[in-house]
Amino acid sequence: MFKILVMEHLNNVIFYQIEQAIKTYRMYAQKQIKSKGLKITIDQWLVLKSLKENPNLNQAELAEKVFKDNASITRIIDLLVKSGYVEREINPNDRRKFNLNITSIGNKILTETHTIVLQNRKTALNGVAEKDIQVLSETLQKITSNCK
């Protein structure tokens, strides 16, 4: 006798739920940033914040840090340069590479978005207990570790 395999519904798959939560949060966060008249996307902010925290990252390391492929990170950096948030300088040790430096305008946009980002997180985590956040964080770290 053959057993008929029934696929579970997507809404019951934890990875689908994680993706849904991330996408919903990103759309909400972008809407909040835009509503304050700031000219930066979530991805651009993420790259800028990562550069602020890790000023010596090269482009490949930056791409890995923000979970982007090389083509995407190049486009994001180009937009950050065009917006005046980042400057590219030729690396004096290797003229094929660039150093990325946050400009004063870039630092200003980071400061302006900081309060919005904190409020976005507060809204998203409303009603979620600190212990639940800790358990979720540990669980996500285990999943990441399992897949490496």
Side-chain angles (χ1 to χ4, degrees):
M1 199 180 270
F2 290 100
K3 209 179 209 184
I4 298 176
L5 295 176
V6 178
M7 286 187 146
E8 61 187 314
H9 196 274
L10 273 178
N11 289 335
N12 297 328
V13 177
I14 190 66
F15 299 105
Y16 183 82
Q17 294 170 3
I18 292 168
E19 185 72 17
Q20 181 183 35
I22 290 168
K23 298 279 187 194
T24 303
Y25 174 77
R26 287 175 62 92
M27 288 187 312
Y28 171 78
Q30 187 64 61
K31 183 179 176 184
Q32 297 308 306
I33 289 170
K34 187 177 180 181
S35 75
K36 304 295 186 215
L38 299 177
K39 306 284 190 219
I40 191 164
T41 67
I42 296 296
D43 285 337
Q44 291 168 354
W45 178 85
L46 188 60
V47 169
L48 207 56
K49 179 83 167 125
S50 294
L51 275 174
K52 181 78 171 177
E53 293 175 358
N54 308 280
N56 297 320
L57 289 181
N58 64 38
Q59 191 166 320
E61 293 166 332
L62 186 58
E64 186 176 322
K65 188 104 179 134
V66 297
F67 316 109
K68 299 292 177 191
D69 58 49
N70 285 332
S72 295
I73 199 72
T74 298
R75 280 191 302 275
I76 293 168
I77 290 169
D78 286 346
L79 290 168
L80 288 170
V81 169
K82 186 177 178 181
S83 297
Y85 300 153
V86 170
E87 291 176 334
R88 277 192 186 111
E89 292 179 352
I90 294 176
N91 183 318
N93 300 324
D94 186 345
R95 297 189 54 76
R96 297 169 296 172
K97 296 181 180 178
F98 292 97
N99 295 334
L100 300 170
N101 300 306
I102 300 174
T103 65
S104 59
I105 298 168
N107 279 311
K108 183 177 181 220
I109 197 82
L110 274 173
T111 300
E112 291 173 343
T113 55
H114 183 74
T115 304
I116 300 166
V117 168
L118 293 178
Q119 184 58 47
N120 291 345
R121 291 176 189 165
K122 183 178 176 183
T123 299
L125 295 172
N126 183 35
V128 180
E130 185 64 37
K131 65 180 170 82
D132 292 336
I133 294 170
Q134 183 62 36
V135 168
L136 177 60
S137 178
E138 290 169 5
T139 302
L140 293 173
Q141 289 173 23
K142 284 178 191 174
I143 291 170
T144 301
S145 178
N146 289 344
C147 294
K148 285 189 175 181

